[in-house]
Amino acid sequence: CFHFNDARSEYSNHHSASVVDVLALPIFKQEESNLPPDSDNKILPFQYVLCAATSPAVKLHDETLTYLNQGQSYEIRMLDNRKIGELPEITGKMVKSIIRVVFHDRRLQYTEHQQLEGWRWNRPGDRILDLDIPMSVGIIDPRANPTQLNTVEFLWDPSKRTSVFIQVHCISTEFTMRKHGGEKGVPFRIQIDTFKENENGEYTEHLHSASCQVKVFKPKGADRKQKTDREKMEKRAPQEKEKYQPSYETTILTECSPWPEVTYVNNSPSPGFNSTHNSFPVAEGNGSPNHQPEPVVQAADNLLPTATPQDAQQWLHRNRFSPFCRLFTNFSGADLLKLTREDVIQICGPADGIRLFNALKGRVVRPRLTIYVCQESQQAREQQTKHENGDAAANTFFVYHAIYLEELTSAELTEKIAQLFNISPRQINQIFKQGPTGIHVLVSDEMIQNFQDEVCFVLDTMKDDTNDGYHIILK
């Protein structure tokens, strides 16, 4: 344990110093003299240590990044960090920990269900995350739900030595749109949420959550990447090296918000089509697809400048910022609203800081491009033909769906169309735009970036006879 406590202290020196210096607001002035002598502003009840080295190519104030090999067993040490007398209700009792592999990028988090269903469809019978039970020590009743490929859970006694060995079977490039080869893989997060028993004996009372950022490579690829990063850093000038973190032998998972439990409406076993036609099954009624919606800060729950510190605490709880309530104990609504984006990022870290800043400002981000699409069907073609011939009433109308783009790339458009029709992006092979004389022009990033702020298309589909995929045509 001494090795890991030393690693933690060294690892968080920069972080803790920045928190104290963030603001000259009352809470920080009052508590500065009361800060504990070690590097942490508060001692967390548990500490999780992933036994894999961090990359040396990470700048000082950025989150660490750790490279893992696909399918290799990695140890996570579950350490009891409580002071004497802290959380006496769990002494001599079990706690439950849930380990997840989730997406780091917010864009992929919004489509997690579709991404995982696509992976399941392409890798039948495989899991994203597994426990290596023979290697693990001190875990009880390990479970892996067959419907949750990226999640495992187990019970453990904090007073006893506990090490859990995990294996990650997906690689980062599996969730990158394959266009030219050589694309950078997407980062994942390994997150651990720990719970204690409630009065009914259910493990539902949250105690602690922590996570770290990882990338997963094919076997031995992580070792090559680590070596490449190390060699790059050795070639840098000494003054440049000072801007980067050293490579730590182990990775300390840092405190984060608990992972929200999400119940999906669509529990179909595969993202296959329900229709024999060359068209997608569009949702009926209000046209809302069955995918995880992007969280929107409701105007009704905006924090007001007149809010008391007690009101502000309740607002933080309601908006899933409970881990930061202690930091903001004496803050009124006006105090919180005065914080700049840089302030909250320094206090809460990049991911939660940006989320808190947007929630404080009640921000609704305007998309860079809006595309309205209507699926063309045989019935629509007949109605259109009648209308052109004067046989139909002029009040014939079609329902369009809005697609909002931020990155203005063909990969993003592919993902959004896949979301809309509740299929895997891998089932969309190419997207074309109908050009002059009916020619099909491949939609590129440059073409999308030259669209107007709002554009409107009729969407047609064409079966690809070489595989189970489809081509999309924008008319």
Side-chain angles (χ1 to χ4, degrees):
C1 287
F2 289 107
H3 167 73
F4 293 112
N5 286 334
D6 291 342
R8 183 192 66 203
S9 298
E10 181 187 5
Y11 177 82
S12 55
N13 273 341
H14 296 290
H15 172 71
S16 61
S18 64
V19 170
V20 175
D21 296 332
V22 171
L23 297 166
L25 286 173
I27 180 174
F28 292 100
K29 286 186 175 178
Q30 287 170 5
E31 296 187 355
E32 191 168 2
S33 61
N34 299 325
L35 292 175
D38 67 356
S39 61
D40 288 337
N41 284 355
K42 72 170 177 177
I43 302 298
L44 303 173
F46 303 111
Q47 186 177 50
Y48 316 123
V49 182
L50 171 64
C51 294
T54 63
S55 166
V58 176
K59 291 193 174 178
L60 276 179
H61 297 292
D62 289 349
E63 184 182 10
T64 59
L65 175 61
T66 302
Y67 303 132
L68 304 180
N69 288 315
Q70 179 189 29
Q72 181 173 327
S73 292
Y74 288 92
E75 180 184 11
I76 299 178
R77 297 191 178 181
M78 314 288 288
L79 304 178
D80 185 358
N81 226 17
R82 292 175 296 156
K83 294 179 181 178
I84 295 174
E86 184 182 2
L87 291 174
E89 64 272 22
I90 66 170
T91 301
K93 293 189 177 180
M94 298 288 175
V95 295
K96 181 171 87 170
S97 286
I98 301 174
I99 304 180
R100 291 177 172 85
V101 172
V102 295
F103 293 114
H104 173 76
D105 294 340
R106 187 60 58 90
R107 176 175 56 87
L108 289 171
Q109 288 176 17
Y110 294 149
T111 61
E112 179 186 279
H113 183 54
Q114 284 75 23
Q115 300 287 342
L116 298 188
E117 280 295 297
W119 193 88
R120 185 204 303 269
W121 185 242
N122 289 315
R123 301 268 297 269
D126 287 353
R127 289 190 57 81
I128 286 176
L129 179 65
D130 262 329
L131 286 176
D132 187 342
I133 296 175
M135 292 281 287
S136 300
V137 177
I139 68 169
I140 298 169
D141 194 21
R143 297 186 182 190
N145 188 325
T147 65
Q148 294 178 313
L149 305 182
N150 61 329
T151 302
V152 294
E153 61 182 60
F154 54 91
L155 303 178
W156 59 289
D157 184 344
S159 65
K160 297 179 181 178
R161 181 195 162 203
T162 304
S163 282
V164 57
F165 282 77
I166 64 166
Q167 299 167 339
V168 183
H169 297 291
C170 62
I171 58 176
S172 293
T173 51
E174 286 186 273
F175 298 96
T176 304
M177 296 302 294
R178 296 168 189 254
K179 295 295 182 186
H180 310 291
E183 290 86 355
K184 290 177 68 174
V186 302
F188 301 123
R189 301 197 70 77
I190 293 177
Q191 175 152 338
I192 303 179
D193 299 290
T194 297
F195 302 84
K196 66 178 180 179
E197 279 185 298
N198 63 14
E199 55 189 15
N200 298 321
E202 301 167 330
Y203 291 93
T204 55
E205 292 195 23
H206 179 257
L207 285 171
H208 177 240
S209 295
S211 66
C212 66
Q213 183 183 192
V214 300
K215 279 192 175 182
V216 184
F217 296 80
K218 289 182 178 179
K220 298 188 177 179
D223 309 285
R224 289 192 293 270
K225 177 62 173 167
Q226 187 80 354
K227 182 182 177 184
T228 302
D229 283 0
R230 189 168 58 247
E231 290 171 349
K232 282 182 181 177
M233 293 308 301
E234 287 170 355
K235 293 177 184 177
R236 291 183 180 272
Q239 61 269 29
E240 279 294 308
K241 288 183 184 178
E242 291 175 1
K243 298 177 182 177
Y244 290 83
Q245 302 177 21
S247 175
Y248 300 102
E249 291 182 9
T250 56
T251 305
I252 312 295
L253 279 67
T254 55
E255 188 183 20
C256 64
S257 301
W259 191 258
E261 292 293 334
V262 178
T263 302
Y264 296 107
V265 176
N266 180 14
N267 293 316
S268 60
S270 73
F273 296 98
N274 302 322
S275 170
T276 56
H277 306 293
N278 289 355
S279 61
F280 299 118
V282 182
E284 296 293 334
N286 61 6
S288 300
N290 291 333
H291 67 87
Q292 183 180 352
E294 179 175 336
V296 177
V297 179
Q298 295 181 2
D301 199 27
N302 281 355
L303 183 66
L304 300 176
T306 54
T308 65
Q310 291 75 21
D311 294 336
Q313 289 287 301
Q314 292 174 5
W315 182 87
L316 288 167
H317 278 291
R318 285 198 307 273
N319 288 274
R320 296 183 295 114
F321 296 107
S322 301
F324 306 104
C325 285
R326 194 193 70 87
L327 270 175
F328 297 118
T329 301
N330 298 331
F331 277 60
S332 66
D335 291 331
L336 283 170
L337 290 167
K338 287 175 186 174
L339 297 177
T340 66
R341 186 174 185 271
E342 291 71 25
D343 293 335
V344 288
I345 287 175
Q346 259 188 312
I347 296 168
C348 305
D352 285 314
I354 291 170
R355 191 167 68 85
L356 175 56
F357 180 74
N358 288 340
L360 286 170
K361 305 303 177 186
R363 206 174 247 208
V364 178
V365 181
R366 184 177 183 273
R368 295 175 64 190
L369 173 65
T370 302
I371 299 178
Y372 301 106
V373 295
C374 171
Q375 186 183 19
E376 185 175 40
S377 63
Q378 186 61 39
Q379 181 184 6
R381 294 191 194 101
E382 291 171 359
Q383 287 180 340
Q384 184 64 25
T385 303
K386 289 179 181 178
H387 180 63
E388 289 171 356
N389 295 336
D391 297 333
N395 63 354
T396 302
F397 72 96
F398 305 96
V399 176
Y400 282 76
H401 300 262
I403 293 176
Y404 303 108
L405 300 186
E406 293 291 345
E407 299 178 4
L408 306 188
T409 64
S410 57
E412 185 187 20
L413 179 59
T414 300
E415 287 184 6
K416 291 297 178 74
I417 291 176
Q419 286 176 41
L420 182 61
F421 297 111
N422 202 22
I423 63 168
S424 166
R426 292 178 181 80
Q427 291 176 279
I428 299 177
N429 293 341
Q430 300 284 3
I431 300 179
F432 300 98
K433 181 178 181 296
Q434 185 167 292
T437 68
I439 63 173
H440 293 162
V441 183
L442 185 66
V443 172
S444 63
D445 294 353
E446 187 177 7
M447 180 188 291
I448 293 174
Q449 288 157 14
N450 281 285
F451 284 161
Q452 298 173 357
D453 289 346
E454 291 188 327
V455 287
C456 185
F457 293 110
V458 173
L459 185 150
D460 196 8
T461 56
M462 184 168 62
K463 187 81 171 64
D464 187 340
D465 295 331
T466 61
N467 56 35
D468 290 333
Y470 284 76
H471 296 308
I472 303 294
I473 304 165
L474 305 176
K475 298 182 177 179

